Amino acid sequence: MMLELCDVHVGYGRTTVVHGVSLTVPSGGVVAVMGHNGAGKTTLLRSAVGLLRPRSGAVRIDGQDVTRLRPHERVRRGLAYVAQGQQSFGQLTARENLQLVADTQPRGLGTRRTDEALDLFPALRGLLGRRAGLLSGGQRQQLAIARALITGPRVLLLDEPTEGIQPSVVTEIEDAVLELTGSGELAVLLVEQHVGFALAAAARYLVLESGRVRDEGAGGAEKEAQVRAAMAL
């Protein structure tokens, strides 16, 4: 499974926010997109999931052009999106949040995928009866990722998964991402400002500034100084 963004130009109204960005996320790989607020990271992700249609360029999944497909049609092709901000249904329990998605899956499959998602985030098992609105930010983020995984995605889009959460949970999310991609079956496009986390998780990275690629290359902790320098310019 592969996600490709090819020379994507996208924006809002008459304003172009992303200018000609291209990237490829292979199965078993993580590509991180970094940059300051307003750099165009979330806009790029929204074009990948189908919430924004590019003015030019293309979005492809496994070589098939999906640029004109709606978000739910892309979900059917194996794409899942975890939006910024620890999204959950606050009045429902954690269990009910997961069950909403599990009930959309074939009989038995939703239960199995729920168990697998909870294996990635075992701390959630003790919180299933608690209302999601009473969970910490890190717990809500784990819940949001678990809910997305129940759909059985082959491409997972994560928008700022570590924003505003405690360092211990950042490590747990990083470990989960690496475990998910370790099987070689899942492609992850990660939008992130936490440079250390992004480079530890990603095989490749891009740094955006004003919607254009300022720097890109192979990931790895040794690139942190280079990336921080690129973001400081």
Side-chain angles (χ1 to χ4, degrees):
M1 190 70 175
M2 180 183 295
L3 172 68
E4 297 174 276
L5 304 183
C6 308
D7 195 26
V8 168
H9 294 72
V10 64
Y12 304 89
R14 296 183 178 181
T15 303
T16 300
V17 176
V18 172
H19 305 265
V21 173
S22 298
L23 59 84
T24 299
V25 191
S27 293
V30 181
V31 172
V33 179
M34 293 175 281
H36 296 298
N37 288 334
K41 306 184 303 299
T42 293
T43 300
L44 183 68
L45 212 60
R46 288 170 64 85
S47 71
V49 77
L51 296 172
L52 290 172
R53 181 175 294 181
R55 294 172 178 175
S56 61
V59 180
R60 299 190 181 105
I61 297 177
D62 264 0
Q64 299 296 311
D65 193 329
V66 300
T67 310
R68 296 186 176 277
L69 295 187
R70 296 178 180 178
H72 71 274
E73 295 172 310
R74 301 188 195 196
V75 169
R76 290 175 185 163
R77 294 189 178 219
L79 186 148
Y81 175 48
V82 180
Q84 187 177 13
Q86 301 106 40
Q87 302 287 331
S88 64
F89 298 99
Q91 296 303 312
L92 300 181
T93 65
R95 179 181 287 106
E96 289 167 337
N97 268 267
L98 297 175
Q99 195 64 46
L100 282 174
V101 182
D103 286 346
T104 68
Q105 304 302 302
R107 180 175 296 178
L109 188 57
T111 299
R112 178 171 64 81
R113 287 176 175 168
T114 299
D115 286 338
E116 291 172 350
L118 290 172
D119 286 343
L120 279 175
F121 301 114
L124 288 178
R125 290 191 183 275
L127 301 169
L128 291 176
R130 186 176 299 182
R131 284 197 303 174
L134 299 179
L135 300 178
S136 70
Q139 291 162 347
R140 288 196 305 273
Q141 188 63 277
Q142 290 176 322
L143 179 62
I145 297 173
R147 196 171 58 227
L149 292 174
I150 295 172
T151 67
R154 293 184 293 162
V155 178
L156 179 62
L157 309 181
L158 298 175
D159 192 358
E160 303 276 13
T162 70
E163 182 185 34
I165 64 177
Q166 57 269 43
S168 62
V169 178
V170 171
T171 300
E172 291 173 10
I173 291 174
E174 178 185 330
D175 291 344
V177 170
L178 293 175
E179 183 173 341
L180 287 166
T181 56
S183 66
E185 297 178 356
L186 184 68
V188 176
L189 179 56
L190 169 69
V191 161
E192 185 57 69
Q193 288 197 66
H194 190 303
V195 174
F197 167 78
L199 291 176
R204 291 196 61 79
Y205 74 87
L206 293 83
V207 175
L208 295 188
E209 181 181 346
S210 300
R212 294 178 170 85
V213 177
R214 170 171 286 281
D215 186 33
E216 61 181 310
E222 70 278 3
K223 295 293 186 70
E224 185 166 347
Q226 176 182 329
V227 170
R228 290 191 182 280
M231 292 176 64
L233 293 175

